[in-house]
Amino acid sequence: MRLKAIKHFISELLYERRYGVRTSGKLILDKHDAENVCYAPMNWRQFRSTLRHDTVTDRDVFLDIGSGKGRAVLMAAIGYPFARVIGVELIKEFHDIAERNLLAVSRRCRAAKVELICADLRDYQIPDDVTVVYMNNPVRGAIFKHVLSSMTDSMKRRPRRMRWIYFNPLEEEAILVTGEWRKVCTIAPGWRKPKSPYGTTCVYESRQTGLSSMPVSQADWKA
């Protein structure tokens, strides 16, 4: 485990230095509680495995729910030709850091537009052009159900192809019981305990339209 921790630390350091940003570190602030989960940066290597470049076009819109210091937003904006990349974060301190990080990489962005929004998810409405949703387990319970309902409302207003990438999918049952989503991919590290959601990233698709470019499969990702 010590060797794994060292490798993870080096990987994080190289990522931060490459882009000149500050996105690492697990933090718990006053506004975090049982439903607003503490901040931990997303796994950038696992992110690349779950969002293939050949499945994103300049018509897609990316939304990071609980964007923290902006790592997923930065990766989506730099690495993919999204029409728009959006990050929504509750904590003002994280939002401000994310804005500074975005400024540091602005010249590298491939996305046509990047927006960082500081807001409570209970007051936020999912935009009707979003096609890829990312969550690094930022909320649970009633707040998660509100986000899920907001996505349902958005798809009803404008039926469309949608993907949902969910790291540490602790609320997966709430997603699948709606009947509106199906799981198409699971990526798990080698250290994960059997059937544990921790360390796992799951990808879901809306049942309204299929994703011909994303096969239904189970994949193993080694940390």
Side-chain angles (χ1 to χ4, degrees), residues 131-133 148 151 155 160-166 175-176 178-185 202-217:
T131 57
V132 179
V133 175
L148 182 57
M151 282 201 274
M155 286 191 293
R160 63 196 183 276
R161 166 187 182 268
M162 282 193 73
R163 273 176 286 181
W164 188 347
I165 303 171
Y166 187 10
I175 298 172
L176 297 179
T178 66
E180 297 170 352
W181 301 86
R182 72 180 183 113
K183 183 159 60 176
V184 297
C185 183
C202 291
V203 182
Y204 311 86
E205 68 172 21
S206 57
R207 288 187 177 274
Q208 294 180 350
T209 54
L211 302 179
S212 58
S213 58
M214 290 197 67
V216 179
S217 63

Side-chain angles (χ1 to χ4, degrees), residues 43-47 49 186-191 199 219-223:
N43 187 314
W44 60 272
R45 292 176 63 192
Q46 208 167 50
F47 181 90
S49 298
T186 300
I187 296 181
W191 52 262
D220 288 326
W221 178 86
K222 303 300 182 183

